[in-house]
Amino acid sequence: FRCVQGTIGQPTAQVIDGSLKIKSGSYLSRTFGTGSDADVWTFSCWIKRAALGTTQYIFRTPSVDEGFYFNSNSDKIDIYRYSGSFTYFGTSPSVLRDCAGWQHIVYAHDSNAASGDRLRLYINGVLQKLTSLTDIGSGSNYSLNSAVAHRIGEIDGYMSQCYFVDGQALGPGYFGFTDPLTGTWRPKKFRAEGT
């Protein structure tokens, strides 16, 4: 089913300028060069969904199918790898069914970190305690951040302020902040200084 779009009574904290509207079946693609540190990176993006109950890939490599997506059955985010069969590295506890507001998603990947801390998923600035089904191996390099085609935005909805940071596993504070007046998570411009 589809979400009804509307902005009446929507707080300004939920308005993201310069968004890209994406229809189902569309996406953006780029083939990466060799990353400086393929096993350490961060992806950050603001997303406003327009449909629920469908599989929607946020970021992935289609050749060696790996990435993360909205699960069609649960509307949670699954982090996965498919190589003949699915390996699920983790699932968010949060259900994302709000089609009226923006959601900020940060996925920080550091396979050199301690076990259980190698994948960090944040939604609106809050670290998600992943339902981990499989932990990635120490120092493992997968297809994300390698010299293959990457896709973002295989969704039905809107995306804005998408960043990919090579060689750093960053937290959400680099991309957003809690508004002291409204208590809502808001976007801010990413600055590379100090990272």
Side-chain angles (χ1 to χ4, degrees):
F1 55 92
R2 297 193 61 79
C3 296
V4 176
Q5 297 293 323
T7 57
I8 297 173
Q10 184 176 354
T12 57
Q14 294 297 317
V15 176
I16 308 295
D17 292 331
S19 65
L20 174 65
K21 182 177 182 181
I22 303 171
K23 295 181 95 177
S24 181
S26 301
Y27 56 86
L28 299 173
S29 179
R30 178 179 178 162
T31 299
F32 284 18
T34 304
S36 67
D37 197 350
D39 51 355
V40 183
W41 49 265
T42 305
F43 177 84
S44 170
C45 193
W46 287 81
I47 295 177
K48 183 176 180 183
R49 298 180 74 190
L52 301 176
T54 62
T55 299
Q56 298 177 44
Y57 294 94
I58 301 165
F59 181 55
R60 75 175 179 135
T61 53
S63 59
V64 177
D65 203 0
E66 178 183 308
F68 59 108
Y69 68 99
F70 293 110
N71 184 300
S72 62
N73 296 318
S74 66
D75 287 310
K76 295 180 178 183
I77 295 176
D78 283 341
I79 301 169
Y80 78 100
R81 183 168 202 242
Y82 182 82
S83 180
S85 63
F86 277 101
T87 300
Y88 289 97
F89 296 117
T91 299
S92 69
S94 299
V95 176
L96 292 108
R97 291 192 178 124
D98 181 6
C99 293
W102 287 88
Q103 307 292 323
H104 181 223
I105 298 167
V106 174
Y107 175 23
H109 180 283
D110 183 356
S111 64
N112 299 311
S115 181
D117 198 32
R118 295 175 183 151
L119 306 177
R120 292 191 305 275
L121 180 69
Y122 302 88
I123 299 174
N124 292 334
V126 178
L127 178 63
Q128 303 293 295
K129 186 177 171 89
L130 294 174
T131 304
S132 289
L133 304 174
T134 303
D135 199 3
I136 61 173
S138 176
S140 295
N141 294 333
Y142 295 110
S143 62
L144 292 170
N145 198 24
S146 65
V148 297
H150 290 62
R151 291 181 184 173
I152 65 168
E154 292 180 88
I155 66 168
D156 192 350
Y158 302 82
M159 297 183 84
S160 185
Q161 297 188 14
C162 297
Y163 294 96
F164 184 86
V165 180
D166 177 31
Q168 296 284 326
L170 303 176
Y174 286 91
F175 311 97
F177 69 101
T178 301
D179 188 317
L181 297 176
T182 64
T184 56
W185 187 252
R186 299 196 59 178
K188 73 177 184 182
K189 185 175 181 179
F190 173 72
R191 299 193 184 281
E193 297 85 17
T195 60

